[in-house]
PDB file of all heavy atoms in Angstrom:
ATOM      1  N   ASP N   1      59.683 -13.969  19.998  1.00  0.00           N
ATOM      2  CA  ASP N   1      60.036 -12.727  20.674  1.00  0.00           C
ATOM      3  C   ASP N   1      60.120 -13.018  22.171  1.00  0.00           C
ATOM      4  O   ASP N   1      59.138 -12.882  22.902  1.00  0.00           O
ATOM      5  CB  ASP N   1      58.980 -11.657  20.392  1.00  0.00           C
ATOM      6  CG  ASP N   1      59.369 -10.296  20.963  1.00  0.00           C
ATOM      7  OD1 ASP N   1      60.277 -10.246  21.816  1.00  0.00           O
ATOM      8  OD2 ASP N   1      58.749  -9.291  20.572  1.00  0.00           O
ATOM      9  N   LEU N   2      61.299 -13.405  22.610  1.00  0.00           N
ATOM     10  CA  LEU N   2      61.470 -13.803  24.009  1.00  0.00           C
ATOM     11  C   LEU N   2      61.212 -12.645  24.964  1.00  0.00           C
ATOM     12  O   LEU N   2      60.760 -12.855  26.099  1.00  0.00           O
ATOM     13  CB  LEU N   2      62.874 -14.365  24.221  1.00  0.00           C
ATOM     14  CG  LEU N   2      63.204 -15.643  23.446  1.00  0.00           C
ATOM     15  CD1 LEU N   2      64.645 -16.067  23.723  1.00  0.00           C
ATOM     16  CD2 LEU N   2      62.242 -16.766  23.811  1.00  0.00           C
ATOM     17  N   ILE N   3      61.495 -11.422  24.524  1.00  0.00           N
ATOM     18  CA  ILE N   3      61.260 -10.255  25.382  1.00  0.00           C
ATOM     19  C   ILE N   3      59.772 -10.131  25.700  1.00  0.00           C
ATOM     20  O   ILE N   3      59.377  -9.902  26.851  1.00  0.00           O
ATOM     21  CB  ILE N   3      61.784  -8.971  24.714  1.00  0.00           C
ATOM     22  CG1 ILE N   3      63.304  -9.057  24.545  1.00  0.00           C
ATOM     23  CG2 ILE N   3      61.404  -7.737  25.530  1.00  0.00           C
ATOM     24  CD1 ILE N   3      63.913  -7.898  23.776  1.00  0.00           C
ATOM     25  N   ALA N   4      58.921 -10.307  24.676  1.00  0.00           N
ATOM     26  CA  ALA N   4      57.470 -10.219  24.881  1.00  0.00           C
ATOM     27  C   ALA N   4      56.957 -11.448  25.630  1.00  0.00           C
ATOM     28  O   ALA N   4      56.170 -11.328  26.584  1.00  0.00           O
ATOM     29  CB  ALA N   4      56.757 -10.074  23.545  1.00  0.00           C
ATOM     30  N   LEU N   5      57.407 -12.631  25.217  1.00  0.00           N
ATOM     31  CA  LEU N   5      56.881 -13.870  25.800  1.00  0.00           C
ATOM     32  C   LEU N   5      57.270 -14.037  27.263  1.00  0.00           C
ATOM     33  O   LEU N   5      56.527 -14.648  28.035  1.00  0.00           O
ATOM     34  CB  LEU N   5      57.377 -15.076  24.998  1.00  0.00           C
ATOM     35  CG  LEU N   5      56.481 -15.544  23.843  1.00  0.00           C
ATOM     36  CD1 LEU N   5      56.244 -14.451  22.822  1.00  0.00           C
ATOM     37  CD2 LEU N   5      57.080 -16.775  23.169  1.00  0.00           C
ATOM     38  N   TYR N   6      58.408 -13.497  27.640  1.00  0.00           N
ATOM     39  CA  TYR N   6      58.870 -13.638  29.021  1.00  0.00           C
ATOM     40  C   TYR N   6      57.857 -13.067  30.011  1.00  0.00           C
ATOM     41  O   TYR N   6      57.713 -13.586  31.127  1.00  0.00           O
ATOM     42  CB  TYR N   6      60.214 -12.930  29.181  1.00  0.00           C
ATOM     43  CG  TYR N   6      60.876 -13.150  30.525  1.00  0.00           C
ATOM     44  CD1 TYR N   6      61.651 -14.281  30.760  1.00  0.00           C
ATOM     45  CD2 TYR N   6      60.740 -12.216  31.556  1.00  0.00           C
ATOM     46  CE1 TYR N   6      62.264 -14.489  31.987  1.00  0.00           C
ATOM     47  CE2 TYR N   6      61.347 -12.416  32.782  1.00  0.00           C
ATOM     48  CZ  TYR N   6      62.109 -13.551  32.991  1.00  0.00           C
ATOM     49  OH  TYR N   6      62.714 -13.753  34.214  1.00  0.00           O
ATOM     50  N   ASP N   7      57.162 -12.034  29.599  1.00  0.00           N
ATOM     51  CA  ASP N   7      56.204 -11.368  30.493  1.00  0.00           C
ATOM     52  C   ASP N   7      54.782 -11.916  30.375  1.00  0.00           C
ATOM     53  O   ASP N   7      53.875 -11.422  31.058  1.00  0.00           O
ATOM     54  CB  ASP N   7      56.187  -9.857  30.217  1.00  0.00           C
ATOM     55  CG  ASP N   7      57.475  -9.180  30.664  1.00  0.00           C
ATOM     56  OD1 ASP N   7      58.088  -9.675  31.627  1.00  0.00           O
ATOM     57  OD2 ASP N   7      57.875  -8.178  30.046  1.00  0.00           O
ATOM     58  N   TYR N   8      54.561 -12.909  29.508  1.00  0.00           N
ATOM     59  CA  TYR N   8      53.232 -13.504  29.406  1.00  0.00           C
ATOM     60  C   TYR N   8      52.904 -14.242  30.714  1.00  0.00           C
ATOM     61  O   TYR N   8      53.762 -14.871  31.327  1.00  0.00           O
ATOM     62  CB  TYR N   8      53.179 -14.517  28.251  1.00  0.00           C
ATOM     63  CG  TYR N   8      53.039 -13.913  26.867  1.00  0.00           C
ATOM     64  CD1 TYR N   8      53.198 -12.554  26.630  1.00  0.00           C
ATOM     65  CD2 TYR N   8      52.764 -14.729  25.772  1.00  0.00           C
ATOM     66  CE1 TYR N   8      53.076 -12.025  25.356  1.00  0.00           C
ATOM     67  CE2 TYR N   8      52.648 -14.208  24.487  1.00  0.00           C
ATOM     68  CZ  TYR N   8      52.808 -12.853  24.292  1.00  0.00           C
ATOM     69  OH  TYR N   8      52.685 -12.339  23.032  1.00  0.00           O
ATOM     70  N   GLY N   9      51.627 -14.161  31.096  1.00  0.00           N
ATOM     71  CA  GLY N   9      51.161 -14.934  32.227  1.00  0.00           C
ATOM     72  C   GLY N   9      50.930 -16.387  31.844  1.00  0.00           C
ATOM     73  O   GLY N   9      51.122 -16.773  30.686  1.00  0.00           O
ATOM     74  N   GLU N  10      50.487 -17.195  32.809  1.00  0.00           N
ATOM     75  CA  GLU N  10      50.320 -18.631  32.552  1.00  0.00           C
ATOM     76  C   GLU N  10      49.317 -18.907  31.444  1.00  0.00           C
ATOM     77  O   GLU N  10      49.562 -19.740  30.568  1.00  0.00           O
ATOM     78  CB  GLU N  10      49.892 -19.338  33.846  1.00  0.00           C
ATOM     79  CG  GLU N  10      50.985 -19.387  34.897  1.00  0.00           C
ATOM     80  CD  GLU N  10      50.581 -20.199  36.111  1.00  0.00           C
ATOM     81  OE1 GLU N  10      49.569 -20.938  36.023  1.00  0.00           O
ATOM     82  OE2 GLU N  10      51.259 -20.107  37.141  1.00  0.00           O
ATOM     83  N   ALA N  11      48.179 -18.227  31.462  1.00  0.00           N
ATOM     84  CA  ALA N  11      47.158 -18.448  30.431  1.00  0.00           C
ATOM     85  C   ALA N  11      47.652 -17.976  29.071  1.00  0.00           C
ATOM     86  O   ALA N  11      47.419 -18.631  28.042  1.00  0.00           O
ATOM     87  CB  ALA N  11      45.866 -17.737  30.806  1.00  0.00           C
ATOM     88  N   GLU N  12      48.358 -16.839  29.046  1.00  0.00           N
ATOM     89  CA  GLU N  12      48.838 -16.280  27.782  1.00  0.00           C
ATOM     90  C   GLU N  12      49.888 -17.178  27.132  1.00  0.00           C
ATOM     91  O   GLU N  12      49.848 -17.411  25.919  1.00  0.00           O
ATOM     92  CB  GLU N  12      49.445 -14.894  28.018  1.00  0.00           C
ATOM     93  CG  GLU N  12      48.454 -13.806  28.371  1.00  0.00           C
ATOM     94  CD  GLU N  12      49.159 -12.506  28.681  1.00  0.00           C
ATOM     95  OE1 GLU N  12      49.950 -12.477  29.653  1.00  0.00           O
ATOM     96  OE2 GLU N  12      48.935 -11.507  27.966  1.00  0.00           O
ATOM     97  N   ILE N  13      50.828 -17.668  27.933  1.00  0.00           N
ATOM     98  CA  ILE N  13      51.894 -18.479  27.335  1.00  0.00           C
ATOM     99  C   ILE N  13      51.354 -19.840  26.895  1.00  0.00           C
ATOM    100  O   ILE N  13      51.799 -20.390  25.878  1.00  0.00           O
ATOM    101  CB  ILE N  13      53.088 -18.638  28.307  1.00  0.00           C
ATOM    102  CG1 ILE N  13      54.331 -19.097  27.541  1.00  0.00           C
ATOM    103  CG2 ILE N  13      52.774 -19.569  29.460  1.00  0.00           C
ATOM    104  CD1 ILE N  13      54.853 -18.111  26.532  1.00  0.00           C
ATOM    105  N   LYS N  14      50.374 -20.373  27.607  1.00  0.00           N
ATOM    106  CA  LYS N  14      49.752 -21.627  27.167  1.00  0.00           C
ATOM    107  C   LYS N  14      49.014 -21.420  25.849  1.00  0.00           C
ATOM    108  O   LYS N  14      49.109 -22.248  24.934  1.00  0.00           O
ATOM    109  CB  LYS N  14      48.794 -22.161  28.228  1.00  0.00           C
ATOM    110  CG  LYS N  14      48.167 -23.497  27.836  1.00  0.00           C
ATOM    111  CD  LYS N  14      47.315 -24.074  28.956  1.00  0.00           C
ATOM    112  CE  LYS N  14      46.768 -25.445  28.555  1.00  0.00           C
ATOM    113  NZ  LYS N  14      45.960 -26.050  29.646  1.00  0.00           N
ATOM    114  N   ALA N  15      48.301 -20.307  25.745  1.00  0.00           N
ATOM    115  CA  ALA N  15      47.591 -20.001  24.496  1.00  0.00           C
ATOM    116  C   ALA N  15      48.580 -19.811  23.350  1.00  0.00           C
ATOM    117  O   ALA N  15      48.324 -20.240  22.215  1.00  0.00           O
ATOM    118  CB  ALA N  15      46.735 -18.751  24.670  1.00  0.00           C
ATOM    119  N   PHE N  16      49.715 -19.187  23.647  1.00  0.00           N
ATOM    120  CA  PHE N  16      50.719 -18.969  22.608  1.00  0.00           C
ATOM    121  C   PHE N  16      51.256 -20.294  22.080  1.00  0.00           C
ATOM    122  O   PHE N  16      51.298 -20.520  20.869  1.00  0.00           O
ATOM    123  CB  PHE N  16      51.881 -18.122  23.134  1.00  0.00           C
ATOM    124  CG  PHE N  16      52.986 -17.963  22.129  1.00  0.00           C
ATOM    125  CD1 PHE N  16      52.923 -16.961  21.180  1.00  0.00           C
ATOM    126  CD2 PHE N  16      54.069 -18.836  22.106  1.00  0.00           C
ATOM    127  CE1 PHE N  16      53.935 -16.822  20.221  1.00  0.00           C
ATOM    128  CE2 PHE N  16      55.076 -18.714  21.161  1.00  0.00           C
ATOM    129  CZ  PHE N  16      55.013 -17.693  20.220  1.00  0.00           C
ATOM    130  N   TRP N  17      51.685 -21.186  22.979  1.00  0.00           N
ATOM    131  CA  TRP N  17      52.262 -22.461  22.532  1.00  0.00           C
ATOM    132  C   TRP N  17      51.224 -23.339  21.843  1.00  0.00           C
ATOM    133  O   TRP N  17      51.541 -24.056  20.891  1.00  0.00           O
ATOM    134  CB  TRP N  17      52.895 -23.201  23.711  1.00  0.00           C
ATOM    135  CG  TRP N  17      54.228 -22.646  24.088  1.00  0.00           C
ATOM    136  CD1 TRP N  17      54.552 -21.959  25.223  1.00  0.00           C
ATOM    137  CD2 TRP N  17      55.426 -22.700  23.308  1.00  0.00           C
ATOM    138  NE1 TRP N  17      55.869 -21.590  25.201  1.00  0.00           N
ATOM    139  CE2 TRP N  17      56.442 -22.037  24.048  1.00  0.00           C
ATOM    140  CE3 TRP N  17      55.745 -23.257  22.075  1.00  0.00           C
ATOM    141  CZ2 TRP N  17      57.737 -21.910  23.572  1.00  0.00           C
ATOM    142  CZ3 TRP N  17      57.047 -23.131  21.599  1.00  0.00           C
ATOM    143  CH2 TRP N  17      58.031 -22.461  22.345  1.00  0.00           C
ATOM    144  N   THR N  18      49.981 -23.255  22.299  1.00  0.00           N
ATOM    145  CA  THR N  18      48.914 -24.007  21.635  1.00  0.00           C
ATOM    146  C   THR N  18      48.748 -23.529  20.202  1.00  0.00           C
ATOM    147  O   THR N  18      48.654 -24.342  19.268  1.00  0.00           O
ATOM    148  CB  THR N  18      47.586 -23.842  22.402  1.00  0.00           C
ATOM    149  OG1 THR N  18      47.749 -24.331  23.743  1.00  0.00           O
ATOM    150  CG2 THR N  18      46.469 -24.603  21.725  1.00  0.00           C
ATOM    151  N   LEU N  19      48.736 -22.218  20.016  1.00  0.00           N
ATOM    152  CA  LEU N  19      48.591 -21.671  18.667  1.00  0.00           C
ATOM    153  C   LEU N  19      49.845 -21.904  17.835  1.00  0.00           C
ATOM    154  O   LEU N  19      49.754 -22.153  16.627  1.00  0.00           O
ATOM    155  CB  LEU N  19      48.276 -20.170  18.737  1.00  0.00           C
ATOM    156  CG  LEU N  19      48.024 -19.481  17.388  1.00  0.00           C
ATOM    157  CD1 LEU N  19      46.877 -20.152  16.621  1.00  0.00           C
ATOM    158  CD2 LEU N  19      47.739 -17.995  17.583  1.00  0.00           C
ATOM    159  N   PHE N  20      51.016 -21.853  18.460  1.00  0.00           N
ATOM    160  CA  PHE N  20      52.261 -22.093  17.723  1.00  0.00           C
ATOM    161  C   PHE N  20      52.257 -23.486  17.103  1.00  0.00           C
ATOM    162  O   PHE N  20      52.585 -23.654  15.919  1.00  0.00           O
ATOM    163  CB  PHE N  20      53.466 -21.932  18.645  1.00  0.00           C
ATOM    164  CG  PHE N  20      54.786 -22.114  17.952  1.00  0.00           C
ATOM    165  CD1 PHE N  20      55.390 -21.057  17.290  1.00  0.00           C
ATOM    166  CD2 PHE N  20      55.430 -23.344  17.942  1.00  0.00           C
ATOM    167  CE1 PHE N  20      56.601 -21.219  16.628  1.00  0.00           C
ATOM    168  CE2 PHE N  20      56.641 -23.522  17.294  1.00  0.00           C
ATOM    169  CZ  PHE N  20      57.235 -22.455  16.632  1.00  0.00           C
ATOM    170  N   LEU N  21      51.883 -24.497  17.881  1.00  0.00           N
ATOM    171  CA  LEU N  21      51.845 -25.862  17.363  1.00  0.00           C
ATOM    172  C   LEU N  21      50.731 -26.038  16.338  1.00  0.00           C
ATOM    173  O   LEU N  21      50.894 -26.757  15.348  1.00  0.00           O
ATOM    174  CB  LEU N  21      51.691 -26.851  18.508  1.00  0.00           C
ATOM    175  CG  LEU N  21      52.890 -26.940  19.467  1.00  0.00           C
ATOM    176  CD1 LEU N  21      52.632 -27.977  20.553  1.00  0.00           C
ATOM    177  CD2 LEU N  21      54.184 -27.267  18.733  1.00  0.00           C
ATOM    178  N   LYS N  22      49.595 -25.367  16.566  1.00  0.00           N
ATOM    179  CA  LYS N  22      48.499 -25.423  15.580  1.00  0.00           C
ATOM    180  C   LYS N  22      48.937 -24.770  14.279  1.00  0.00           C
ATOM    181  O   LYS N  22      48.670 -25.296  13.182  1.00  0.00           O
ATOM    182  CB  LYS N  22      47.255 -24.714  16.116  1.00  0.00           C
ATOM    183  CG  LYS N  22      46.090 -24.695  15.119  1.00  0.00           C
ATOM    184  CD  LYS N  22      44.908 -23.903  15.645  1.00  0.00           C
ATOM    185  CE  LYS N  22      43.712 -23.962  14.688  1.00  0.00           C
ATOM    186  NZ  LYS N  22      44.013 -23.448  13.326  1.00  0.00           N
ATOM    187  N   ASN N  23      49.597 -23.631  14.376  1.00  0.00           N
ATOM    188  CA  ASN N  23      50.041 -22.923  13.183  1.00  0.00           C
ATOM    189  C   ASN N  23      51.049 -23.762  12.399  1.00  0.00           C
ATOM    190  O   ASN N  23      51.024 -23.788  11.163  1.00  0.00           O
ATOM    191  CB  ASN N  23      50.672 -21.588  13.579  1.00  0.00           C
ATOM    192  CG  ASN N  23      50.960 -20.706  12.390  1.00  0.00           C
ATOM    193  OD1 ASN N  23      50.058 -20.218  11.730  1.00  0.00           O
ATOM    194  ND2 ASN N  23      52.227 -20.486  12.104  1.00  0.00           N
ATOM    195  N   THR N  24      51.928 -24.468  13.119  1.00  0.00           N
ATOM    196  CA  THR N  24      52.893 -25.350  12.465  1.00  0.00           C
ATOM    197  C   THR N  24      52.179 -26.444  11.682  1.00  0.00           C
ATOM    198  O   THR N  24      52.508 -26.727  10.519  1.00  0.00           O
ATOM    199  CB  THR N  24      53.836 -25.976  13.509  1.00  0.00           C
ATOM    200  OG1 THR N  24      54.523 -24.936  14.210  1.00  0.00           O
ATOM    201  CG2 THR N  24      54.850 -26.885  12.840  1.00  0.00           C
ATOM    202  N   LYS N  25      51.184 -27.052  12.310  1.00  0.00           N
ATOM    203  CA  LYS N  25      50.406 -28.100  11.632  1.00  0.00           C
ATOM    204  C   LYS N  25      49.661 -27.527  10.429  1.00  0.00           C
ATOM    205  O   LYS N  25      49.653 -28.130   9.346  1.00  0.00           O
ATOM    206  CB  LYS N  25      49.407 -28.711  12.608  1.00  0.00           C
ATOM    207  CG  LYS N  25      48.455 -29.732  11.979  1.00  0.00           C
ATOM    208  CD  LYS N  25      47.460 -30.253  12.989  1.00  0.00           C
ATOM    209  CE  LYS N  25      46.464 -29.219  13.443  1.00  0.00           C
ATOM    210  NZ  LYS N  25      45.533 -28.792  12.355  1.00  0.00           N
ATOM    211  N   ASP N  26      49.044 -26.353  10.595  1.00  0.00           N
ATOM    212  CA  ASP N  26      48.262 -25.759   9.503  1.00  0.00           C
ATOM    213  C   ASP N  26      49.145 -25.365   8.325  1.00  0.00           C
ATOM    214  O   ASP N  26      48.752 -25.528   7.161  1.00  0.00           O
ATOM    215  CB  ASP N  26      47.490 -24.538  10.012  1.00  0.00           C
ATOM    216  CG  ASP N  26      46.353 -24.913  10.954  1.00  0.00           C
ATOM    217  OD1 ASP N  26      45.994 -26.107  11.019  1.00  0.00           O
ATOM    218  OD2 ASP N  26      45.825 -24.010  11.638  1.00  0.00           O
ATOM    219  N   LEU N  27      50.333 -24.837   8.613  1.00  0.00           N
ATOM    220  CA  LEU N  27      51.255 -24.482   7.529  1.00  0.00           C
ATOM    221  C   LEU N  27      51.763 -25.721   6.811  1.00  0.00           C
ATOM    222  O   LEU N  27      51.828 -25.770   5.576  1.00  0.00           O
ATOM    223  CB  LEU N  27      52.439 -23.690   8.081  1.00  0.00           C
ATOM    224  CG  LEU N  27      52.283 -22.187   8.263  1.00  0.00           C
ATOM    225  CD1 LEU N  27      53.503 -21.622   8.976  1.00  0.00           C
ATOM    226  CD2 LEU N  27      52.085 -21.479   6.933  1.00  0.00           C
ATOM    227  N   ALA N  28      52.124 -26.735   7.587  1.00  0.00           N
ATOM    228  CA  ALA N  28      52.660 -27.961   6.991  1.00  0.00           C
ATOM    229  C   ALA N  28      51.620 -28.699   6.165  1.00  0.00           C
ATOM    230  O   ALA N  28      51.962 -29.408   5.212  1.00  0.00           O
ATOM    231  CB  ALA N  28      53.216 -28.873   8.082  1.00  0.00           C
ATOM    232  N   SER N  29      50.345 -28.556   6.526  1.00  0.00           N
ATOM    233  CA  SER N  29      49.280 -29.253   5.799  1.00  0.00           C
ATOM    234  C   SER N  29      48.581 -28.350   4.789  1.00  0.00           C
ATOM    235  O   SER N  29      47.572 -28.742   4.197  1.00  0.00           O
ATOM    236  CB  SER N  29      48.243 -29.797   6.795  1.00  0.00           C
ATOM    237  OG  SER N  29      47.656 -28.761   7.549  1.00  0.00           O
ATOM    238  N   PHE N  30      49.134 -27.159   4.573  1.00  0.00           N
ATOM    239  CA  PHE N  30      48.578 -26.238   3.582  1.00  0.00           C
ATOM    240  C   PHE N  30      48.667 -26.892   2.203  1.00  0.00           C
ATOM    241  O   PHE N  30      49.748 -27.275   1.767  1.00  0.00           O
ATOM    242  CB  PHE N  30      49.374 -24.931   3.609  1.00  0.00           C
ATOM    243  CG  PHE N  30      48.848 -23.847   2.716  1.00  0.00           C
ATOM    244  CD1 PHE N  30      47.686 -23.167   3.041  1.00  0.00           C
ATOM    245  CD2 PHE N  30      49.525 -23.503   1.558  1.00  0.00           C
ATOM    246  CE1 PHE N  30      47.213 -22.152   2.222  1.00  0.00           C
ATOM    247  CE2 PHE N  30      49.051 -22.497   0.735  1.00  0.00           C
ATOM    248  CZ  PHE N  30      47.888 -21.820   1.068  1.00  0.00           C
ATOM    249  N   PRO N  31      47.558 -27.050   1.501  1.00  0.00           N
ATOM    250  CA  PRO N  31      47.580 -27.872   0.276  1.00  0.00           C
ATOM    251  C   PRO N  31      48.243 -27.224  -0.934  1.00  0.00           C
ATOM    252  O   PRO N  31      48.752 -27.918  -1.809  1.00  0.00           O
ATOM    253  CB  PRO N  31      46.093 -28.130   0.013  1.00  0.00           C
ATOM    254  CG  PRO N  31      45.389 -26.966   0.641  1.00  0.00           C
ATOM    255  CD  PRO N  31      46.206 -26.613   1.849  1.00  0.00           C
ATOM    256  N   LYS N  32      48.257 -25.892  -0.986  1.00  0.00           N
ATOM    257  CA  LYS N  32      48.800 -25.208  -2.158  1.00  0.00           C
ATOM    258  C   LYS N  32      50.320 -25.053  -2.040  1.00  0.00           C
ATOM    259  O   LYS N  32      50.873 -25.149  -0.948  1.00  0.00           O
ATOM    260  CB  LYS N  32      48.130 -23.838  -2.294  1.00  0.00           C
ATOM    261  CG  LYS N  32      46.613 -23.913  -2.447  1.00  0.00           C
ATOM    262  CD  LYS N  32      45.967 -22.534  -2.475  1.00  0.00           C
ATOM    263  CE  LYS N  32      44.458 -22.640  -2.553  1.00  0.00           C
ATOM    264  NZ  LYS N  32      43.784 -21.316  -2.591  1.00  0.00           N
TER     265      LYS N  32
END
């Protein structure tokens, strides 16, 4: 959601990208 993310501050956007990459890893390594 670029409209929402555009207004994120520095800490918020860093937290978002950190979780985005973590979520990608967690989904890809989901065993079921």
Side-chain angles (χ1 to χ4, degrees):
D1 186 344
L2 297 178
I3 296 175
L5 269 58
Y6 187 84
D7 290 330
Y8 281 12
E10 291 185 14
E12 290 176 298
I13 197 65
K14 182 175 183 178
F16 176 85
W17 282 111
T18 300
L19 183 57
F20 182 85
L21 293 181
K22 178 184 184 301
N23 189 68
T24 301
K25 175 182 68 67
D26 290 346
L27 275 173
S29 60
F30 185 73
K32 301 176 183 180

